[in-house]
Amino acid sequence: MKLEAVFTIENNKLIKIADNSEVAFASLIQETIKWSTVEIEDESYNEEYLADLRNKLKAYDDQGKFAVLIPDVDKPLETAEQKELFINAFNHTARRIKDCVSVAGFVLPQPMLGDAAFIQDFMDTLAIKHAQYVYFVNKADAENAGLSSQSFFVNLGLF
């Protein structure tokens, strides 16, 4: 089940497609998701936690609220294998919440930002089944990572 995009990014601003209105990042519910909670062992996922997350996000659907998911990198993220495990864990998370309209997208965590190929792999992997997501990054982090010209990033101004 592929969902239609609810939001887009224009000129580093989050825009609700239905009425072309600007949406403040602060109006989104921020849901932090610890990598170690999703992936309890390499390629072994916490399905109970993911079911609870889905239930919470479905409640937001019913309330007309929107959330942004914030991966918390609480495990080492240095090797190619660790990066692949991270991507797979959050792709698995996205599969478990695939029918939740309330999910606007993901904040790209700080440890990803020095590696453009890693960021692209993350977004490309999720986009295969979840092209509706937008990706968020703090303005200073975007500039430091050379991402400020990318149209799919919005300046959070919060972190």
Side-chain angles (χ1 to χ4, degrees):
M1 166 184 206
K2 288 191 178 182
L3 296 178
E4 294 294 319
V6 175
F7 298 99
T8 190
I9 302 295
E10 294 177 9
N11 299 318
N12 286 330
K13 295 180 182 171
L14 183 64
I15 305 295
K16 191 170 184 181
I17 294 170
D19 61 6
N20 204 35
S21 63
E22 185 176 341
V23 177
F25 180 82
S27 70
L28 302 175
I29 300 165
Q30 297 178 33
E31 290 290 340
T32 300
I33 302 172
K34 288 184 178 284
W35 179 15
S36 64
T37 301
V38 170
E39 186 181 50
I40 47 183
E41 293 180 28
D42 289 359
E43 299 182 25
S44 178
Y45 305 113
N46 185 340
E47 298 300 340
E48 183 177 337
Y49 169 79
L50 294 172
D52 289 343
L53 176 64
R54 182 187 175 279
N55 290 339
K56 181 188 281 190
L57 295 169
K58 290 304 282 180
Y60 296 159
D61 285 356
D62 295 340
Q63 299 164 14
K65 296 179 180 179
F66 294 95
V68 61
L69 306 181
I70 305 172
D72 181 359
V73 182
D74 62 343
K75 299 194 302 186
L77 186 59
E78 298 160 357
T79 68
E81 180 182 27
Q82 290 165 337
K83 291 174 183 179
E84 183 177 347
L85 289 169
F86 176 85
I87 291 170
N88 290 343
F90 283 93
N91 189 46
H92 186 79
T93 300
R95 281 196 304 266
R96 291 297 175 255
I97 60 171
K98 68 182 176 204
D99 63 338
C100 297
V101 176
S102 63
V103 179
F106 284 82
V107 171
L108 299 177
Q110 177 67 36
M112 292 179 79
L113 298 181
D115 188 338
F118 179 32
I119 291 169
Q120 197 63 54
D121 286 347
F122 180 81
M123 293 187 304
D124 288 348
T125 299
L126 269 63
I128 292 170
K129 298 269 183 162
H130 314 285
Q132 77 275 16
Y133 293 148
V134 293
Y135 298 91
F136 303 88
V137 68
N138 178 292
K139 180 180 180 181
D141 290 339
E143 290 171 354
N144 290 338
L147 302 170
S148 57
S149 65
Q150 300 291 331
S151 62
F152 45 80
F153 294 96
V154 66
N155 298 337
L156 304 182
L158 298 177
F159 301 168

